[in-house]
Amino acid sequence: MDDIDRDLLGALVRDGRMTYQELARAVRLSANAVAERIRRLKHSGLLRGYHAELDLRVLGRTLVALTDVRLRDDVSGRDFEQSLHAVPQVVSAAHTTGEYDYQLRIACTDPGELEQVAEVLKRGHGARQLRSRVILSEVELDPSRLLGISTLR
């Protein structure tokens, strides 16, 4: 990966809908050269795809919580992960190290709905213990910042 690839990836992170023509102007290459670089980046696995980002607040999901989950001993991680597909309020999940097994990002309309989701996770999904923290605000960081890192300090 060279500086042009980094510039292309940075541009796509900021606006995944940019055309090859727009990208070509941004990095001063032909559209065909940009298309080939993009194909190579996809083939390498670095560029996995393009997606739309939903604004949870516009959907009425104004309460977002980070919830740590400790599973019951009789519940496997695989079964728990599969069961999460039935809980639409859980918008992401991460298997973690430490005191808890998973961290969930749960988007709700109000505290009552968060309480209901917690009960559902305990009753039907194998959660033994939950610890939730409500997100007050989020800091937007540009993931393309990683493209410029060569070594950790």
Side-chain angles (χ1 to χ4, degrees), residues 56-71:
L56 297 173
R57 293 184 187 284
V58 173
L59 291 172
R61 303 286 162 175
T62 56
L63 186 147
V64 180
L66 297 176
T67 299
D68 297 319
V69 178
R70 183 176 293 141
L71 298 179

Side-chain angles (χ1 to χ4, degrees), residues 1-148:
M1 182 167 62
D2 61 15
D3 288 341
I4 294 173
D5 289 338
R6 284 183 183 84
D7 289 345
L8 285 171
L9 290 168
L12 286 171
V13 165
R14 286 185 291 284
D15 182 0
R17 294 178 49 132
M18 288 182 78
T19 66
Y20 289 149
Q21 298 288 341
E22 292 167 328
L23 289 166
R25 280 192 295 277
V27 297
R28 295 186 174 98
L29 289 179
S30 70
N32 286 341
V34 165
E36 180 54 37
R37 282 176 177 265
I38 297 295
R39 275 191 288 279
R40 185 174 40 78
L41 290 166
K42 283 181 183 176
H43 183 70
S44 75
L46 181 61
L47 183 58
R48 294 191 318 190
Y50 310 91
H51 69 278
E53 184 177 339
L54 302 177
D55 187 331
L56 297 173
R57 293 184 187 284
V58 173
L59 291 172
R61 303 286 162 175
T62 56
L63 186 147
V64 180
L66 297 176
T67 299
D68 297 319
V69 178
R70 183 176 293 141
L71 298 179
R72 292 191 321 250
D73 292 336
D74 64 328
V75 176
S76 74
R78 184 180 317 229
D79 289 342
F80 178 71
E81 290 171 17
Q82 283 298 90
S83 78
L84 292 177
H85 293 281
V87 186
Q89 295 90 342
V90 177
V91 294
S92 69
H95 187 213
T96 60
T97 63
E99 190 178 338
Y100 290 85
D101 300 305
Y102 287 87
Q103 183 175 69
L104 309 180
R105 185 178 181 90
I106 302 175
C108 298
T109 55
D110 57 41
E113 186 179 18
L114 179 60
E115 186 175 19
Q116 289 173 344
V117 171
E119 285 305 312
V120 165
L121 290 170
K122 287 179 183 176
R123 270 197 330 267
H125 299 273
R128 176 176 51 166
Q129 183 179 9
L130 302 172
R131 178 179 68 183
S132 294
R133 288 144 351 266
V134 173
I135 295 175
L136 299 176
S137 65
E138 295 191 64
V139 178
E140 290 288 326
L141 299 174
D142 182 356
S144 68
R145 295 174 305 121
L146 285 171
L147 298 171

